[in-house]
Amino acid sequence: MKKISIFIWLTIPVWFLLPRFAAYGENAGAFTSVQGRVDITSPGEPARPANHGDVVFESDIIRTKSDGRAEIKLSDGALIQIAPGSRFLIASFVTNENKTSSVLNLLRGKIRSIISKTSGRKKEYEVRTKTAVVGVRGTDFFVYYQQGVSGAIFSEGEGYAYAISEPDDVRTIKAGQAALVRSFDTPLTIRPVTEIELQRHSKETSSGESPPGDKKNIPESGEITEDTSAGKGFLAKPGGNRPGAGRMPGSPAAGFGGDVFLSERRIFTEFAYTIDIGSYEQEDFFYSLETEDGAGFRIPGTNVLIRMPVDIDLTTQEPDEYLEKSWDLYVGNTPGRFSDGALSGGSIFAGPIAREDIRITKQDWGIGNVYITGVYDDFDDSVFDRWSLDLNYRESSGQRFYRFEGEKWSGGEIGAKAASAWVNWQECLTGVAGGDLVGTYSPDEGTWKATARFVALESGRFLDMAANRKTDLERIDIPCVEIGRASLSGEGNHLAVDMNDVIFFSYATGGDPAIWATNGVSGSFNETPQTGIPVQLSGNGLNADFTIRAWDNGRWAAAVENGNGVLNRSDAAAGKIGFQGGAAGTFDAGGLFSGSGAGTAGNR
């Protein structure tokens, strides 16, 4: 079976002109390392395989396939390390006694540039994408461009960057900072870089040999290498020096770190970070996204494939052409709590949280991982196996909601059911996800760390499977037992809103509500509604605020907030609940709108 590597990339965008040159321009350098499938395309010639020692020229296009990576040493001494699935043009390379000037047009993927400082010769070096320009004079930095997002990470030295849409806003980037341009019409932003990002980018661009300056980012306690095994045991055991893992020092309370291990399993399109969780070991914890023998979710440790529809031809494309990835960082915003029946214990706080998602382009399903570190208060030893934590985060493209129903917090180990929902304000879509969380905690330090994996479905796909393929949903740990329904309505902000057949789901009959979803959001409007103004909805004992977040070009999106009331359950006695989420869809010129909604829920 074809094995596919997955990479989650950041980027800084740039729009650029691709100049034309003679068939062979100036000698720009040569390959010092080639692994896997790598090729060179010169003007007017077909692509040819690249080999160690091959010379590259101005106007050559270098490409690495999904299993390829390479390193090029330019004639001025600069090193270019190229990640899998990348493509760039040596747009300009000019050198003389006084100055060297280089321009690379990054068409897709990621490269690392290590620009040495030399006396007596001025060096000018730029990397351009469709949305951004990054320039340096003596530094070590990464640049990436994927799915329309451009980014730069500076490990050493400093440079400059600007978005193509705002060429006059040239910003200085220093070591330990990252620059990001999310789309062609968005400004450049700068933020601090985490150690986990430097580890990831270093690994993805590595040619197999540690480049200068890398030792500070790769501790002696473990090497970062590829793990191509199909063995079991996704979570690293203590001690860590296993193949395919890189150990990162640091305090979980302060950020990503502790015994965090990076591992990219080359099974189908499976990907994940793994966290050392002490003596606890869960085999094949992460599902895989298979794209060759029939697209769908492969159940860990089995030959069971939950087949899902795909309406594009995957056989004619490389994985990096049809796989969409997204990545984001959050900070915890709501405390959780330990509870044991009528007893209430200490609080749980989430610190830095990272999210990674991947799906096949234009499909309504995918997989994702979340990595969390935090602190907790034992409150006179009132720590119980039963605990809960609700989180929600605003992103540039929408909002995410998570609910963790704790099943274990003892013996140094953490376990929970993980339910999630999301709304995409740009694509005007909603969906749900489900999975499991595992991790560890330190009673002495009052810290904890965990990782959760999810299978995600758009709302319409989920509701169809809940009605017709419930067994498949149970296998991939998405709550699918219906426990009650409600319909809510309200008026305000030039809107008349109906949320019909809002269905609440649990993991089991009699269990706590975990998620909700509906395909019955509809209504009318007599003027364009304003964003940020809540419309109060009520019905069947429940209440919620419906707040428009986006309304443009025939599409709309809204937040569903402050949901509360008494749910008339179909499987047990009525009970108080809280819920949150979002809704999205389309509107027409006749004053009507419709769409779907989804969110998380819990008992109160």
Side-chain angles (χ1 to χ4, degrees), residues 150-182:
S150 296
I153 305 287
F154 277 66
S155 176
E156 294 181 357
E158 68 176 48
Y160 62 89
Y162 61 87
I164 291 298
S165 61
E166 298 183 357
D168 295 331
D169 184 20
V170 180
R171 310 280 293 279
T172 297
I173 312 173
K174 298 182 178 180
Q177 291 184 327
L180 183 70
V181 179
R182 294 184 180 274

Side-chain angles (χ1 to χ4, degrees), residues 436-519:
D436 296 295
L437 174 145
V438 294
T440 59
Y441 65 94
S442 170
D444 295 332
E445 298 179 2
T447 60
W448 64 280
K449 53 192 175 183
T451 180
R453 66 102 182 95
F454 292 94
V455 169
L457 304 171
E458 288 183 16
S459 296
R461 175 66 58 190
F462 164 71
L463 290 169
D464 177 71
M465 293 182 70
N468 302 299
R469 298 176 59 184
K470 186 177 294 185
T471 300
D472 288 342
L473 291 177
E474 292 172 345
R475 284 174 167 172
I476 54 180
D477 292 323
I478 296 182
C480 59
V481 177
E482 180 180 337
I483 60 172
R485 297 191 180 208
S487 293
L488 298 85
S489 61
E491 296 183 3
N493 193 22
H494 309 297
L495 296 168
V497 182
D498 292 304
M499 288 183 58
N500 295 316
D501 283 328
V502 178
I503 308 176
F504 291 84
F505 296 90
S506 176
Y507 283 100
T509 300
D512 293 348
I515 59 175
W516 61 270
T518 176
N519 267 336

Side-chain angles (χ1 to χ4, degrees), residues 385-402:
D385 280 335
R386 186 174 174 83
W387 55 275
S388 63
L389 179 64
D390 289 281
L391 303 171
N392 71 83
Y393 301 99
R394 185 81 60 84
E395 301 177 329
S396 61
S397 61
Q399 199 162 6
R400 302 265 173 169
F401 308 88
Y402 299 99

Side-chain angles (χ1 to χ4, degrees), residues 171-203:
R171 310 280 293 279
T172 297
I173 312 173
K174 298 182 178 180
Q177 291 184 327
L180 183 70
V181 179
R182 294 184 180 274
S183 64
F184 180 73
D185 58 354
T186 59
L188 180 144
T189 58
I190 297 177
R191 61 170 177 79
V193 175
T194 64
E195 187 69 17
I196 200 170
E197 290 178 86
L198 291 175
Q199 289 278 359
R200 174 191 297 166
H201 294 304
S202 178
K203 178 182 178 182

